[in-house]
Amino acid sequence: MDSSSDTSSSPPPPALSFSRRQKEKVLVIMGATGCGKSKLSVDLSIACGYEAEIINSDKMQLYRGLDISTNKISIPERRGVRHHLLGDLDPADGELTPADFRDLAGAAVADIASRGKLPVVVGGSNSFIYSLLVDRFHPGSDVFYGSGPEDRVSPQLRYDCCFLWIDVAFPVLCDYLCRRVDEMVETGMMEEMADFYSSESWPGRTGLLKSIGVPELEWYYKMGDDEGGWDTVRRSVYEDAVRKIKENTCRLAERQVGKIMRLKSGGWDLHRVDSTDVFRERLRAEDEAEEVWEKEVMDPSVKIVKQFLQEE
């Protein structure tokens, strides 16, 4: 999720119009963790005159709990745009499979489209995105790491899709992600994790156990409270855990981009929007970051979506 400031003071882009079609139109916003997908989804939904609703496709954000650690978009940042499958599931019910997500998100697409609104699928879990969108999904296949004939990416989709791929040069994104981890720690991540591990039910929260931060901090919280000589040891364990969280977040981003490239090479028509300059400005804490976002990300995205919605 993106934690940048509210853009409500900026003049809104012109409202977009919907045209009749045979398949449901679906907007899909893809990209690595932290690249600004959530912010763009809200900005575009508002540009549509609130005639769009967002379906989360991040597998960790599906579950209730660990809002800071999983980077769920906050209520104020949603700016009145309705979100689906965001913190809706009980993590004790087990891990959701791609086939499960296809059913849940497919029902959300049908519901949103039936009310004349645009479904916007947003998230970094590309296996979930693939399972939802492909015309014929085979649960046993692995289109990202498999090598058999059944593992080929299918270009046949069950919806009329427009893909926006928000891309950021990896060194710049990694620097930003590391800073974001520090900000998460400062804004309550450690307290949130402490509550998670102090709960008697935490071992059964299987849906969240793979969230970055949970395995890295497990040993730190199992050590108990600071007592005498443990202070130095706990500090070392804590610093090592934060370092691993940063490393694993950057590795996740790299894997996500690799999967997006696999889909692109498999025939998916992805519109790449380069957000690198935006993140350079954010790392410098420059006031111009929002202006660069509007010019280099929002404006081209609005043009792409507007053309998509007007196509028969």
Side-chain angles (χ1 to χ4, degrees):
M1 123 181 178
D2 187 277
S3 58
S4 58
S5 61
D6 195 320
T7 62
S8 57
S9 59
S10 302
L16 308 180
S17 60
F18 296 84
S19 58
R20 295 183 180 180
R21 68 278 184 187
Q22 191 169 14
K23 286 184 177 181
E24 291 100 333
K25 281 185 178 285
V26 176
L27 173 62
V28 185
I29 301 178
M30 311 173 72
T33 184
C35 72
K37 298 183 297 296
S38 294
K39 172 177 169 54
L40 182 60
S41 68
V42 169
D43 286 353
L44 287 174
S45 298
I46 293 172
C48 291
Y50 289 89
E51 292 300 315
E53 296 181 10
I54 295 168
I55 301 171
N56 166 56
S57 62
D58 182 296
K59 62 177 64 175
M60 292 297 107
Q61 293 182 3
L62 290 166
Y63 303 105
R64 290 192 296 275
L66 297 184
D67 290 357
I68 297 172
S69 305
T70 60
N71 288 291
K72 290 189 184 78
I73 185 170
S74 67
I75 296 294
E77 288 169 327
R78 298 178 201 179
R79 297 164 63 193
V81 177
R82 185 177 177 184
H83 284 64
H84 300 257
L85 300 181
L86 185 63
D88 291 350
L89 305 184
D90 187 338
D93 289 341
E95 187 174 352
L96 201 74
T97 68
D100 295 332
F101 180 78
R102 178 180 173 91
D103 292 338
L104 288 175
V109 168
D111 170 57
I112 296 168
S114 72
R115 291 183 279 107
K117 295 193 174 185
L118 175 68
V120 183
V121 177
V122 183
S125 298
N126 296 294
S127 59
F128 278 17
I129 290 174
Y130 183 83
S131 70
L132 168 64
L133 300 180
V134 73
D135 189 36
R136 294 185 179 181
F137 175 64
H138 303 285
S141 65
D142 186 348
V143 300
F144 299 110
Y145 300 112
S147 56
E150 71 281 3
D151 300 320
R152 295 176 184 149
V153 172
S154 172
Q156 303 300 319
L157 306 178
R158 63 172 173 164
Y159 305 114
D160 181 6
C161 296
C162 174
F163 295 97
L164 292 177
W165 168 22
I166 311 307
D167 194 23
V168 181
F170 185 73
V172 175
L173 179 61
C174 195
D175 286 346
Y176 174 79
L177 293 174
C178 290
R179 191 180 78 175
R180 191 180 70 167
V181 171
D182 291 332
E183 292 172 349
M184 289 163 57
V185 170
E186 293 171 1
T187 56
M189 176 181 171
M190 299 304 293
E191 292 80 4
E192 183 180 73
M193 282 289 181
D195 290 341
F196 179 84
Y197 278 108
S198 65
S199 171
E200 293 181 359
S201 64
W202 81 261
R205 298 180 183 181
T206 54
L208 285 173
L209 293 183
K210 293 183 179 179
S211 176
I212 292 179
V214 173
E216 292 87 350
L217 286 164
E218 181 176 0
W219 175 235
Y220 173 78
Y221 286 109
K222 281 187 173 180
M223 293 175 70
D225 297 331
D226 291 339
E227 291 183 6
W230 282 100
D231 289 351
T232 302
V233 176
R234 281 177 59 84
R235 169 56 59 177
S236 176
V237 171
Y238 162 77
E239 291 175 350
D240 185 57
V242 172
R243 176 184 59 78
K244 288 179 179 177
I245 290 171
K246 292 178 179 180
E247 290 176 353
N248 290 336
T249 302
C250 291
R251 289 194 184 107
L252 170 64
E254 192 170 26
R255 291 196 303 272
Q256 289 171 325
V257 172
K259 290 182 177 181
I260 290 171
M261 293 300 295
R262 180 71 180 260
L263 295 174
K264 182 175 178 62
S265 65
W268 286 30
D269 184 16
L270 310 182
H271 299 279
R272 179 179 174 271
V273 180
D274 191 344
S275 189
T276 302
D277 288 344
V278 176
F279 284 81
R280 287 198 180 103
E281 294 296 323
R282 289 178 182 171
L283 286 167
R284 290 196 290 258
E286 297 290 341
D287 294 336
E288 289 80 9
E290 191 59 40
E291 182 179 340
V292 177
W293 170 268
E294 292 291 334
K295 179 181 178 181
E296 299 193 7
V297 179
M298 187 60 182
D299 287 351
S301 297
V302 166
K303 291 177 182 177
I304 292 167
V305 175
K306 183 175 182 179
Q307 181 178 351
F308 167 67
L309 293 177
Q310 291 176 341
E311 293 172 351
E312 292 294 340

